[in-house]
Amino acid sequence: MTTTESTPEAVTAPEKPLNYRFSVLFTAFARFFRGFLLFVVIILVNAAIQTALVGFFDPVPGLSAVFIITVLISFVVLVASFYFLNITALTVATQKPKFATVFRRSAGQWGRFVLWSVVMYLLVLLGLIVNTYLGLAVLLVLPFVTLAAADDQRNPLAINFRVIGGRAVRYIVTAVILGIILIISNLLTSVNGFFIGGWLGALITWLYWGLLASWYLTALALIYRSTRAGAVKSD
């Protein structure tokens, strides 16, 4: 009697599908409208609070209680808004987002994001103190850290470099275009502050940068999700 034994077949992990086509930034513009309502709500809430802080308190840099409290409120609102922008960008990269899923996150996940956001903020701030372009360079070298933190990755720094390594050419092209956009945006913000200023200038600035951040975070999320390091976790 002969017996046949089944030989195991070599299983190769499938390549991660690209979530974008010819251009990440063009695809991100289209995906932005998947979460348009969410993005707009987050941007408007942040812009309204930040503008109100400027309009009502008109804080003057110093050690006064008003200035310190204003800065703390502004920072908390900014980090919360940035967190939800990251979560929304990660979601629209692969599916249509819902309010319930975006805003239902664990305390641990929120804490990890806050920690890495503070680290990124300090690194960028130190870079800007030395030179404006050094601060921008930090953003360009560590673009996926906050996305990885929002995605509940244990080591966002390592994930950042793994994602860049997996899509190096695509990211470099995207980063060069972003660098040009950031330089132009910085000039426009300076013009806005000089000719308009006040609460209206602050409102315009927050709305503009909120929309720009949403678009670019969506582009980064498309690259991030197209790599093994940033793939959607299966339950």
Side-chain angles (χ1 to χ4, degrees), residues 116 119-120 123-124 136-147 156-158 160-161 164 171 220:
W116 282 100
V119 170
M120 284 294 297
L123 288 175
V124 173
L136 294 178
V138 173
L139 290 175
L140 295 176
V141 172
L142 304 173
F144 300 101
V145 169
T146 57
L147 281 173
L157 190 61
N160 172 79
F161 291 112
I164 292 177
Y171 171 65
L220 291 180

Side-chain angles (χ1 to χ4, degrees), residues 5-95:
E5 295 182 359
S6 58
T7 56
E9 296 181 0
V11 179
T12 57
E15 287 291 328
K16 279 298 300 167
L18 295 179
N19 294 304
Y20 51 83
R21 295 186 182 277
F22 175 73
S23 169
V24 173
L25 293 173
F26 279 132
T27 304
F29 184 76
R31 295 292 173 88
F32 169 82
F33 287 98
R34 273 186 179 179
F36 180 77
L37 184 58
L38 264 170
F39 278 127
V40 168
V41 167
I42 297 167
I43 292 168
L44 285 178
V45 169
N46 177 66
I49 295 175
Q50 303 290 356
T51 301
L53 291 174
V54 173
F56 291 134
F57 297 104
D58 192 21
V60 178
L63 296 178
S64 66
V66 173
F67 177 74
I68 293 173
I69 293 173
T70 302
V71 169
L72 288 175
I73 294 174
S74 174
F75 180 75
V76 170
V77 173
L78 180 60
V79 172
S81 300
F82 188 51
Y83 174 70
F84 290 122
L85 287 180
N86 275 266
I87 292 294
T88 304
L90 285 169
T91 306
V92 299
T94 55
Q95 60 183 305

Side-chain angles (χ1 to χ4, degrees), residues 82-155:
F82 188 51
Y83 174 70
F84 290 122
L85 287 180
N86 275 266
I87 292 294
T88 304
L90 285 169
T91 306
V92 299
T94 55
Q95 60 183 305
K96 188 174 179 62
K98 297 179 181 179
F99 276 85
T101 56
V102 168
F103 291 106
R104 188 177 66 243
R105 299 286 165 171
S106 68
Q109 190 171 354
W110 164 250
R112 187 174 295 111
F113 181 84
V114 171
L115 173 63
W116 282 100
S117 292
V118 171
V119 170
M120 284 294 297
Y121 174 78
L122 292 176
L123 288 175
V124 173
L125 182 62
L126 289 173
L128 290 174
I129 291 174
V130 176
N131 186 279
T132 301
Y133 295 105
L134 183 58
L136 294 178
V138 173
L139 290 175
L140 295 176
V141 172
L142 304 173
F144 300 101
V145 169
T146 57
L147 281 173
D151 198 31
D152 205 22
Q153 298 279 7
R154 295 295 177 184
N155 191 340

